[in-house]
Amino acid sequence: MTPSAGPIVGSRSFLSRLREGDEIAHLITFLFAASVVLVTLLLVFVLWQQSVLPRHKFGFAFFFTRVWDPISEDFGALPFIYGTIVTTVVALLISVPLGLGAAIFLAELAPQRISDTLQFFIDLLAAVPSVIYGLLGIFIVVPLMRTVIEPALKDTLGFLPFFQGPAYGVGFLTAGIVLAIMIVPYIISVSREILLAVPREQREAALALGSTRWESTWKVVIPFARTGIMGSIFLAMARALGETMAVAMVIGNTPTISASLFSPGYSIAAVIANEFTEATGDLYLQALVELGLVLFILTFILNGVARLLIVLTTQKGSRTAQV
Amino acid sequence: MSGRLRWRKFVSGFMLAMTGVCALVTVSVLFFVLGDLVVHGGTSINWNFFTKLPAPVGETGGGMANAIVGSAKLLLLASLIGVPIGFLGGVYLAEFSGSTAAFIVRYAGDLLNGVPSIVIGIFAYAMLVLPFKHFSTIAGSFALGLMMVPIILRSTEEFLNGVPRALREGSMALGASKWKTIQAVVIPAAYRGILTAILLAFARVAGETAPLLFTALGNRYWSHGWNEPTASLPVVIYTYALSPYDDWHRQAWAAGLVLLGLILVINIVARAILSRGISVPRS
């Protein structure tokens, strides 16, 4: 089978290609493409090289120390790593069921036109910038959390260590909720694509065996698409880890490690945003760059895993469809 | 109908209804965001907002003309950096590269796409602020341009690859060289898609705040030329929202409404361009 789209591989002499501009165009486009690779390598190099001081001084202890004291130049990242993980987990606990539910509705249930319209709005939602969510977070979500939601949680689930302590409004829970809203669109868009790639025969077989619509979705379609959905979750997780502005505006910016989700905290991205311009001294600045390096490595791994999982599922879908 | 079957049907109907609720809740967030911005910011948008400099602390009134111009300058320069690299890199991927080179460039692009925006800011700071010892429009634009590259790169490649082979064969059969074919036939056939990608990349970086915090910084006054710190709408929203002044809060809402309006309009236009018929006549 010959492809019906894509470039043609020609076989003319080098000289004639040079005369007609082919070789020059090749060279110029190559230089631009190469600059993408160079800049990416440079980014990794700069992060590594600009964080040499704290890496040598603190080593791996950097990740397990709770102190963050710019005056005595003693830096440990544990509260920020903790805050990043807690807010991301809270965000996933909310956004995965919500996003998966919406994706099922869009892919399995809604008629094409409604599904496309809703997807259009969800794409727009994904385009809302972080700082706007932060703005709404400060003036709408934080007061709501302080006066209504956190007291209500304390009354009903207060026996759990997560829902104790004073309700400040700002804190891990609020940051997690705002993050959840921000990553839901990613989960929906990717999961919807994955679900749409599940072969029709899978659903028909389940329905023909007498299962209800929900059983065919939950016990056949979802397991078939499981790896791809995991991929979409990893993708959303990478987004949540690196999300800066909205979190910085509602997390409370206090380096604390506390089991209570009501407690104000701090995240890696937020501390970089807040302290980078006022960092005095090389060690302080480089400690912040090392936090950036940590974020980079985490998102690098998560994105890699996500892409692999998504490719695996879509391939599985097309392979089964051909059989 | 047995009780078991009735139960299964009830579960099915209930769960399917719940998925609909999930979809509605998510979509309603968009209207909630828009509604809030209009309610809180709509009344503060007036002529002064677009034409005046910020008023001194403690005085009410003033506008954000400098932030609007600053954002425009940042985005213009960012596009001048991001569009050529992304577009020509994409042409290389689709038309010229061998599979190994393509893999490396694609991988680098994907890597760049996943880098958190705050880390891009650190990179731009180390490259263009640290050596020159001052914050500048150029550094901010470099960070934003870098974020545009991967989006444009991959979309250009995808849309060029989608151009039917018959079009290329027709052009080459008429004696056109490969470059002539690409430039006169392939790129025009894919231009709607590429334009959409460029607009979406533009809209994406228009709202970015984190990479500007320590590259373009901010400025209460006009920024002259390209080498001074400059105000920008997203950063002003951030600083005003965290300030203790009610008047600044009001202006932050107004700026948020303007910014989101701009981004949503660009998004809608971009999608309209793409869906206005397929860019290539099907043969």
Side-chain angles (χ1 to χ4, degrees), chain B residues 47-245:
Chain B
W47 189 243
N48 283 348
F49 178 85
F50 293 102
T51 54
K52 288 258 172 66
L53 279 179
V57 176
E59 278 177 38
T60 55
M64 359 189 112
N66 61 340
I68 294 169
V69 173
S71 264
K73 275 163 75 179
L74 281 166
L75 289 169
L76 174 71
L77 192 56
S79 305
L80 289 179
I81 297 168
V83 173
I85 299 181
F87 173 65
L88 290 173
V91 172
Y92 175 77
L93 280 181
E95 304 291 335
F96 290 109
S97 71
S99 59
T100 319
F103 176 79
I104 294 171
V105 175
R106 240 177 250 139
Y107 194 82
D110 286 346
L111 190 63
L112 205 56
N113 198 21
V115 176
S117 55
I118 187 97
V119 177
I120 299 266
I122 294 180
F123 177 56
Y125 176 87
M127 298 296 292
L128 290 168
V129 176
L130 216 47
F132 300 107
K133 307 246 184 306
H134 61 85
F135 302 99
S136 66
T137 306
I138 296 176
S141 296
F142 174 73
L144 294 184
L146 212 55
M147 298 189 68
M148 293 176 79
V149 168
I151 308 173
I152 301 176
L153 181 82
R154 291 306 298 271
S155 314
T156 304
E157 185 199 359
E158 244 167 66
F159 284 110
L160 289 179
N161 273 333
V163 173
R165 205 178 161 86
L167 276 179
R168 295 164 206 268
E169 284 171 346
S171 163
M172 291 186 114
L174 290 171
S177 70
K178 181 170 184 176
W179 173 238
K180 188 78 195 162
T181 302
I182 294 169
Q183 167 226 296
V185 176
V186 180
I187 291 175
Y191 96 98
R192 272 178 206 274
I194 296 169
L195 190 61
T196 301
I198 291 174
L199 286 174
L200 289 180
F202 185 89
R204 155 107 193 270
V205 300
E208 278 298 339
T209 319
L212 295 178
L213 288 175
F214 31 83
T215 51
L217 198 68
N219 197 335
R220 301 279 301 154
Y221 306 98
W222 292 105
S223 158
H224 302 284
W226 303 90
N227 226 345
E228 287 179 8
T230 179
S232 58
L233 275 179
V235 176
V236 166
I237 296 173
Y238 174 62
T239 44
Y240 275 28
L242 293 180
S243 76
Y245 312 110

Side-chain angles (χ1 to χ4, degrees), chain A residues 4 6-7 22 210 215 274 300, chain B residues 8 94 111 165 168 179 238:
Chain A
S4 61
D22 289 4
E215 285 163 346
N274 281 325
F300 171 69
Chain B
R8 283 172 56 205
L111 190 63
R165 205 178 161 86
R168 295 164 206 268
W179 173 238
Y238 174 62

